[in-house]
């Protein structure tokens, strides 16, 4: 293959590709296509070094020339990459075999370190099969290209690290909010339980049967609330650690939701729930107890956050499963909070202060649905209402 020498204009073009790139891999793709008429290579490989284990892993590999049809059999320069990462120095390997040997067995391998501020990020490997040898100008260009790509890789790594730190900060903030909420959520029922039992036990006062029953009913309700909080905490921990057992079986969703609506009416007699199901409804595979838990949580949320609104539960047959929509016409969710609605510990800071919640319910719903290889999402318009959509597969 005849090549033309690289010019300053070519170097400027490479620099512009790097400046305008949206990611280092797309930049390498474009540079590889651009330089190949000037700089012959058959394989181009980039290895990253793990800063903790010092092991190298392939981050990018591309076959463009004579080894393209034999990718599984040709050299990819792993040994040279390891040597470059360990030494931090460029390495050039030229074949000793005679020209009569298959050229795929006679690779010229050029390894250049990818580094930033004396930190070795990895290695870029150029491989030629058979000929020609790498010239001094080409080696210098390879070093220039490695420097440009190192800038991009370092920028991407710092962006990833920043994203990780922001995610950790978000989790820490949610945990702090959760601890504050948890303290309130535990103290409130405990305060009621302690206060009313102490009142009932006062030796200097007697209470009629109606008052005693009223006090005991409050104690019973607050105990249930405390039990629900403890159950949510335990479910959250089990789901996050993968220790929650699922009893998968064939499930009729209409039977699950009908039973749930009957139970909801016992606790929320004024709540209007409208059910609309396709018939016959597709059978799905799932854990009926956990699916009922998800649907109950969605209905409880509608009762809490959209009080007085009728609720619609629509179940539709779709390809490979069924879709459930739980729709209310309450105040809706502000758009800035929708992306976090399924996060652990998240609570809408603008919700009414008298609305009880621990920021675990929707997180648990998402974990259960994902354990079913399904999906849960929400669409909400402030002042109009919210629609929670669950997709469940007919076979897991």
């Amino acid at each position: 293959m005849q090549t033309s020498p690289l010019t300053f204009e070519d170097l400027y073009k490479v620099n512009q590709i790097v400046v305008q790139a949206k990611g280092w891999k797309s930049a390498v793709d474009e540079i590889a296509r651009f330089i190949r008429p000037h700089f012959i290579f058959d394989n181009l490989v980039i290895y990253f070094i793990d800063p903790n284990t010092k092991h190298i892993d392939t981050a990018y590999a591309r076959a463009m020339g004579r080894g393209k049809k034999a990718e599984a059999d040709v050299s990819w320069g792993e040994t040279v990459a390891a040597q470059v990462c360990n030494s931090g120095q460029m390495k050039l390997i030229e074949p000793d075999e005679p020209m009569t040997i298959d050229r795929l067995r006679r690779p010229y391998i050029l390894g250049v370190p990818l580094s930033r501020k004396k930190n070795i990020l990895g290695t870029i490997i150029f491989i030629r099969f058979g000929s020609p040898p790498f010239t001094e100008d080409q080696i210098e260009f390879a070093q220039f290209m490695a420097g440009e790509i190192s800038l991009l890789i370092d920028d991407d790594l710092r962006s990833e690290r920043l994203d990780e730190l922001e995610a950790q900060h978000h989790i820490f903030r949610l945990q702090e909010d959760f601890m504050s909420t948890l303290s309130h959520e535990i103290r409130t029922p405990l305060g009621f339980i302690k206060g009313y039992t102490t009142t009932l036990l006062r030796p200097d006062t007697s209470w009629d049967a109606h008052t005693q029953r009223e006090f005991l009913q409050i104690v019973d309700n607050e105990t249930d609330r405390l039990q629900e909080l403890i159950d949510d905490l335990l479910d959250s921990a089990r789901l996050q650690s993968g220790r929650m057992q699922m009893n998968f079986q064939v499930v009729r969703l209409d039977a699950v939701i009908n039973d749930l609506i009957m139970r909801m009416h016992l606790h929320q007699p004024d709540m209007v729930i409208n059910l609309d199901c396709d018939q016959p409804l597709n059978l799905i595979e799932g854990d009926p107890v956990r699916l009922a838990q998800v649907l109950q949580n969605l209905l409880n949320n509608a009762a809490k956050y959209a009080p007085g609104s009728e609720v619609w539960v629509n179940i539709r047959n779709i390809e490979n499963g069924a879709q459930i929509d739980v729709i209310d016409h309450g105040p809706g969710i502000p758009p800035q909070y929708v992306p976090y609605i399924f996060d652990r510990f998240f609570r809408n800071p603008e919700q009414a202060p008298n609305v009880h919640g621990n920021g675990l319910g929707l997180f648990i719903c998402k974990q259960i649905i994902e354990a079913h290889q399904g999906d849960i999402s929400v669409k909400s318009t402030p002042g109009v209402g919210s629609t929670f959509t669950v997709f469940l597969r007919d076979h897991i």
Side-chain angles (χ1 to χ4, degrees), residues 134-193:
F134 291 101
T135 66
E136 288 296 327
D137 287 345
Q138 291 169 346
I139 292 172
E140 288 181 4
F141 171 76
Q143 292 173 318
F144 167 78
M145 181 175 167
E148 295 290 288
I149 295 172
S150 294
L151 290 173
L152 276 178
I153 293 172
D154 185 57
D155 186 59
D156 282 2
L157 291 175
R158 283 190 288 109
S159 296
E160 290 176 6
R161 181 56 180 159
L162 181 60
D163 290 343
E164 290 175 2
L165 291 173
E166 289 178 348
Q168 290 175 4
H169 177 70
H170 177 64
I171 292 172
F172 291 151
R173 187 172 65 250
L174 290 179
Q175 289 175 335
E176 289 178 358
D177 293 343
F178 170 72
M179 292 306 297
S180 175
T181 301
L182 182 62
S183 175
H184 173 74
E185 292 292 323
I186 289 178
R187 287 177 183 274
T188 301
L190 284 178
F192 277 112
I193 293 168

Side-chain angles (χ1 to χ4, degrees), residues 10 22 113 135 140 157 210 226 274 284 318 359 375-376 387:
D10 296 326
K22 295 182 179 179
T135 66
E140 288 181 4
L157 291 175
H210 174 76
L226 192 58
N274 305 286
I284 62 98
I318 61 174
D375 183 66
I376 183 170
T387 299

Side-chain angles (χ1 to χ4, degrees), residues 8-187:
F8 284 112
E9 288 77 11
D10 296 326
L11 299 181
Y12 177 76
K13 173 64 176 178
V14 170
N15 177 261
Q16 289 304 296
I17 292 172
V18 170
V19 170
Q20 297 170 13
K22 295 182 179 179
W24 70 266
K25 288 187 178 180
S26 61
V28 174
D29 280 337
E30 190 172 351
I31 292 171
R33 289 191 298 269
F34 172 71
I35 67 170
R36 198 158 185 275
H38 313 282
F39 182 84
I40 298 173
F41 62 89
D42 295 305
N43 288 357
L44 188 155
V45 196
I46 291 177
Y47 293 92
F48 281 172
I49 183 170
D50 188 305
N52 298 317
T53 65
K54 303 303 180 183
H55 293 157
I56 62 169
D57 294 308
T58 305
Y60 178 97
R62 181 164 185 174
M64 298 186 69
R66 287 161 286 192
K68 191 170 184 180
K69 295 182 179 180
E71 293 181 20
D73 302 320
V74 301
S75 170
W76 292 92
E78 296 93 337
T79 302
V80 175
Q83 293 171 351
V84 173
C85 285
N86 289 332
S87 67
Q89 302 295 319
M90 183 199 76
K91 193 167 187 65
L92 176 62
I93 302 295
E94 297 186 333
D96 295 327
E97 287 81 357
M99 292 290 290
T100 55
I101 297 294
D102 179 6
R103 63 187 177 188
L104 293 180
R105 295 169 55 191
R106 301 180 59 253
Y108 289 82
I109 304 176
L110 174 62
V112 182
L114 299 169
S115 60
R116 183 70 177 141
K117 296 180 180 178
K118 299 183 179 180
N119 293 322
I120 302 299
L121 307 175
T123 309
I124 183 168
I125 300 288
F126 298 92
I127 302 175
R128 290 176 178 173
F129 295 109
S131 63
F134 291 101
T135 66
E136 288 296 327
D137 287 345
Q138 291 169 346
I139 292 172
E140 288 181 4
F141 171 76
Q143 292 173 318
F144 167 78
M145 181 175 167
E148 295 290 288
I149 295 172
S150 294
L151 290 173
L152 276 178
I153 293 172
D154 185 57
D155 186 59
D156 282 2
L157 291 175
R158 283 190 288 109
S159 296
E160 290 176 6
R161 181 56 180 159
L162 181 60
D163 290 343
E164 290 175 2
L165 291 173
E166 289 178 348
Q168 290 175 4
H169 177 70
H170 177 64
I171 292 172
F172 291 151
R173 187 172 65 250
L174 290 179
Q175 289 175 335
E176 289 178 358
D177 293 343
F178 170 72
M179 292 306 297
S180 175
T181 301
L182 182 62
S183 175
H184 173 74
E185 292 292 323
I186 289 178
R187 287 177 183 274

